[in-house]
Amino acid sequence: MYTQLEQRGMPQPPVNVATLAAMKASGEPIACLTAYDASFARLVDDAGTDLVLVGDSLGMVIQGHDTTVPVTVEDIIYHTRNVARGLQRAFLVADMPFMSYSDAARALDSAVRLMQEGGAMMVKLEGGAEQIRIVEHLAQHDIPVCAHIGLRPQSVHKIGGFKVQGRDEQQAQQMLEDAVSLQQAGADIVLLECVPNELGEAVRQALDVPVIGIGAGPKVDGQILVLYDILGITGGRMPRFVKDFMAEAESPLEACAAFVAAVKTGSYPAPEHCFS
Ligand code: KIV
């Protein structure tokens, strides 16, 4: 009975939270990408991606909004369901959209929908110490949680733009303390966006759970990028941490495999992708 989830007829068993924890313990970098549909999900899975996120970045790269704020729970469920059909090995995480976790009951309801209707294996929410109660509530119901700190795109209107976070000592210290509190509250992964290398390394050292970075330097446990950014599809000015892997690839599959290899060997992120 239990073998179905572990094998799915694959030569390699699917990734789960224990796999990710073991990768951190053994020092194997975790390669993560976003995906929003079944075809790209199959492709990133074939490329060896360990974790796939149905990010609310879909509001920008799929729906054409300027921010992630307009994305709804229905949007994420729709895309997660499609991505779930394309995956065999990768671990599937779905974003909790803006205001879908504004209180504990609402958070539980949204998370249950993402898991039951979308097929997500973990939910991701943005926030530091102010989300402790929500993370605790979800963890008490055995819902795996990824806590997203650093630059929080859902707060862009409050922050006043997409900016590097944690550059001053007090803010860096607060972020470090928040990360520890989120882990204590039950977070299984911490995702750290747009912070100086030094802070990325300090958060990784302080936590037992995997720390996945996006613009958080090379000294974290894994890297994530938006799929359309690494394929050179997204228009406009790219953040410093983005690398277009399609520029030297002959196919999207080759570009995704090059991203996975670069994360695994540590050649991505290079100094030009990092903040100090
Ligand atoms: O929404 C998203 O795709 C994300 C990643 C950028 C980490 O949160």
Side-chain angles (χ1 to χ4, degrees):
M1 178 177 88
Y2 294 129
T3 52
Q4 197 169 358
L5 183 63
E6 284 161 19
Q7 301 297 336
R8 284 189 206 152
M10 293 284 294
Q12 274 186 301
V15 175
N16 59 35
V17 275
T19 321
L20 298 171
M23 288 171 81
K24 172 166 180 132
S26 69
E28 180 184 344
I30 302 167
C32 317
L33 283 170
T34 65
Y36 316 99
D37 67 38
S39 299
F40 274 125
R42 195 165 304 117
L43 192 139
V44 300
D45 196 279
D46 286 349
T49 309
D50 301 305
L51 180 153
V52 171
L53 169 69
V54 180
D56 59 1
S57 51
L58 70 84
M60 300 164 86
V61 299
I62 303 279
Q63 297 173 334
H65 297 294
D66 287 338
T67 73
T68 59
V69 172
V71 176
T72 64
V73 172
E74 271 68 28
D75 293 334
I76 300 282
I77 289 172
Y78 172 77
H79 287 280
T80 305
R81 197 187 284 147
N82 293 336
V83 168
R85 291 190 198 107
L87 296 184
Q88 297 232 47
R89 176 183 166 270
F91 188 69
L92 177 57
V93 182
D95 245 338
M96 302 263 272
F98 181 66
M99 285 301 139
S100 66
Y101 47 100
S102 53
D103 62 54
R106 192 159 183 207
L108 186 58
D109 182 58
S110 305
V112 167
R113 291 196 64 199
L114 296 182
M115 294 181 78
Q116 289 193 322
E117 296 174 46
M121 297 159 180
M122 176 178 281
V123 297
K124 175 166 86 59
L125 52 81
E126 296 182 8
E130 70 284 359
Q131 299 297 353
I132 299 293
R133 254 178 14 86
I134 305 287
V135 173
E136 261 169 8
H137 191 61
L138 295 178
Q140 276 161 9
H141 289 83
D142 283 345
I143 293 183
V145 178
C146 171
H148 181 157
I149 59 173
L151 173 60
R152 291 173 286 126
Q154 290 172 12
S155 305
V156 64
H157 296 308
K158 185 84 174 167
I159 304 166
F162 297 103
K163 300 176 187 164
V164 180
Q165 303 292 306
R167 272 195 165 133
D168 80 74
E169 214 173 297
Q170 203 183 334
Q171 206 194 18
Q173 185 56 33
Q174 184 61 55
M175 215 182 289
L176 196 53
E177 288 170 18
D178 285 1
V180 172
S181 307
L182 287 160
Q183 172 178 274
Q184 280 165 355
D188 303 275
I189 294 182
V190 167
L191 190 147
L192 193 52
E193 178 162 355
C194 250
V195 299
N197 284 7
E198 219 177 281
L199 182 54
E201 183 172 11
V203 172
R204 189 208 76 212
Q205 281 173 347
L207 299 190
D208 297 322
V209 298
V211 177
I212 308 297
I214 174 164
K219 299 275 177 66
V220 286
D221 301 306
Q223 303 290 335
I224 186 163
L225 284 176
V226 169
L227 179 63
Y228 287 21
D229 291 351
I230 74 155
L231 295 181
I233 294 172
T234 316
R237 205 175 123 251
M238 285 294 107
R240 182 184 171 93
F241 55 76
V242 169
K243 178 171 174 183
D244 176 358
F245 284 83
M246 196 62 209
E248 290 174 17
E250 295 201 341
S251 69
L253 177 60
E254 206 179 289
C256 293
F259 166 76
V260 171
V263 171
K264 298 282 178 189
T265 58
S267 64
Y268 174 83
E272 68 266 27
H273 306 120
C274 298
F275 301 107
S276 52

